[in-house]
Amino acid sequence: MGASLMARNIFNQPPKDEKESLAPSPAPAKSAKLPGSVGGLRDSLREITANSIRDIEPDRIDMDGLRDRLILEDGGIDDLAESIRKHGQQVPIMVRPSDQPDRYRIVYGRRRLAAIRRVGGTVKAIVRTLDDDASLIAQGQENNLRLDPSFIEKSLFIKEMQEAGYKPGVIQDALGLTRQGVSNHRVVIEQLPDELVRLIGPAHGVGRRQWGDLAALAEKVPLVDVARATLAALPDSTPSSDRFQAVYVACSSKARGAANQGTRGQSTVIKDKNGSQVGTVSVDGKSIAIKVTRKDNPEFGQWLEERAETTLRQLFEQWRNERG
């Protein structure tokens, strides 16, 4: 289990026969803490059984919590709804009591709830009184156990948790990461435009190094503009990981082109202390040329010609020595 063992397991691991990814939900307004502490819940929540599952009308459940998933297509909800229509709801969602009478706030299972709202009928839900920290940890742990969110999805979730003011220990428990693991995710997401991530999607299989390489190109090319143009030419069904590769290749190519363009045809006039032209230095993508016009400085031209080979060799040796 690795780093995930450090996380507090505050709910039973659900079966994996109902495949889904959690849909985004609006960041919650800061609410008053509900009774209950994270530490004290560990033992009591292990006792969750089928007898604790209730049937609740979907319109009594309010969306709550932070975004922890990138959803590319709403069609996935339709597929889930059809599966529930045929086979019933196999995995309950979790909710917590709202501060309004006879209402609840969702902890996890946003896509299941959305699907059942389309199908109709009640939703099977585990009801637990959790404070904000415990609710977030339950959301993150359930998501990790069921679908293994991608690197960039975890990074976005971490960013939102930090911006919402959650403490480092809660964030680490929610995703089963060490402090360094959280830092590694945050460093990358801070360099990437939010719209770029939304355009590409979760990109399962694309890790920290690859996202970091893409982020490093931000100073050289307009990542979002290149991504829009690149993805517009791809079929809508293109997998997210392939979308990432297409965007990365396009951005890398544009960055190389910009570098070559930046050095092409640059020419600098070299003058002496009196302002008279001595020669020119021209730089392009392939070479550096030093040019001395004989008619302007015939004697210097003759002197340089006699010493050019030796002087160039000396400069090369000096450069190599300075490199260590």
Side-chain angles (χ1 to χ4, degrees):
M1 295 289 290
S4 63
L5 285 174
M6 65 168 287
R8 284 165 281 191
N9 182 17
I10 66 173
F11 56 90
N12 292 339
Q13 180 172 346
K16 297 184 179 181
D17 54 350
E18 193 174 293
K19 296 183 179 179
E20 64 190 82
S21 53
L22 297 178
S25 61
K30 270 299 181 182
S31 60
K33 295 284 188 178
L34 293 174
S37 66
V38 177
L41 288 170
R42 284 183 295 178
D43 294 333
S44 61
L45 293 189
R46 285 175 184 155
E47 299 174 1
I48 294 174
T49 64
N51 293 331
S52 68
I53 298 174
R54 304 182 192 176
D55 290 324
I56 300 175
E57 293 293 337
D59 59 6
R60 290 165 54 195
I61 301 173
D62 299 320
M63 298 305 269
D64 191 26
L66 303 178
R67 293 176 297 175
D68 55 13
R69 279 288 167 183
L70 283 168
I71 302 300
L72 295 181
E73 297 179 349
D74 289 335
I77 299 292
D78 293 331
D79 294 339
L80 181 57
E82 182 60 26
S83 174
I84 291 175
R85 181 181 291 108
K86 290 181 178 179
H87 308 293
Q89 181 188 350
Q90 301 298 313
V91 181
I93 68 173
M94 180 179 280
V95 298
R96 56 177 173 158
S98 172
D99 53 2
Q100 301 178 25
D102 204 29
R103 296 198 66 81
Y104 302 90
R105 299 159 65 189
I106 193 163
V107 175
Y108 61 69
R110 289 157 180 77
R111 284 175 58 83
R112 271 164 279 173
L113 178 59
I116 291 170
R117 281 174 170 163
R118 297 188 185 186
V119 172
T122 59
V123 57
K124 297 182 184 301
I126 299 167
V127 180
R128 282 293 176 268
T129 299
L130 307 176
D131 62 20
D132 288 347
D133 287 354
S135 176
L136 185 78
I137 292 172
Q139 177 185 353
Q141 288 184 0
E142 197 264 359
N143 203 26
N144 282 339
L145 288 170
R146 290 180 59 76
L147 286 167
D148 188 22
S150 68
F151 172 83
I152 204 64
E153 286 179 311
K154 288 182 179 180
S155 299
L156 282 172
F157 195 24
I158 288 169
K159 179 181 178 182
E160 294 213 354
M161 286 188 283
Q162 290 180 330
E163 290 177 349
Y166 286 98
K167 295 179 180 179
V170 173
I171 296 173
Q172 292 169 40
D173 281 351
L175 290 175
L177 294 174
T178 63
R179 180 181 300 180
Q180 185 60 50
V182 170
S183 177
N184 290 341
H185 286 72
R186 185 63 194 262
V187 165
V188 173
I189 197 63
E190 286 178 342
Q191 302 176 67
L192 291 165
D194 188 70
E195 184 178 353
L196 176 70
V197 176
R198 304 295 171 192
L199 287 169
I200 292 174
H204 288 279
V206 178
R208 177 170 67 94
R209 182 186 61 79
Q210 293 162 291
W211 278 105
D213 289 344
L214 180 59
L217 298 174
E219 296 181 357
K220 302 175 182 178
V221 298
L223 297 181
V224 174
D225 292 343
V226 175
R228 282 202 202 99
T230 301
L231 297 177
L234 298 179
D236 292 340
S237 59
T238 302
S240 182
S241 57
D242 291 345
R243 294 164 71 88
F244 174 90
Q245 294 299 334
V247 170
Y248 178 74
V249 169
C251 289
S252 298
S253 177
K254 192 171 184 65
R256 287 193 298 270
N260 292 337
Q261 183 66 32
T263 58
R264 184 176 297 122
Q266 291 184 355
S267 184
T268 303
V269 176
I270 308 301
K271 298 180 179 181
D272 64 16
K273 62 182 180 180
N274 298 320
S276 300
Q277 181 171 324
V278 175
T280 60
V281 177
S282 299
V283 180
D284 60 25
K286 297 181 180 180
S287 63
I288 302 173
I290 299 175
K291 182 178 180 181
V292 175
T293 305
R294 289 184 181 275
K295 68 176 182 177
D296 295 332
N297 295 284
E299 294 180 0
F300 174 64
Q302 180 64 35
W303 181 89
L304 182 60
E305 181 180 359
E306 294 172 357
R307 294 165 176 77
E309 183 177 341
T310 301
T311 301
L312 183 58
R313 188 178 294 111
Q314 290 174 342
L315 288 172
F316 180 78
E317 292 299 329
Q318 180 181 345
W319 166 80
R320 187 156 60 182
N321 292 335
E322 290 177 354
R323 291 183 68 196

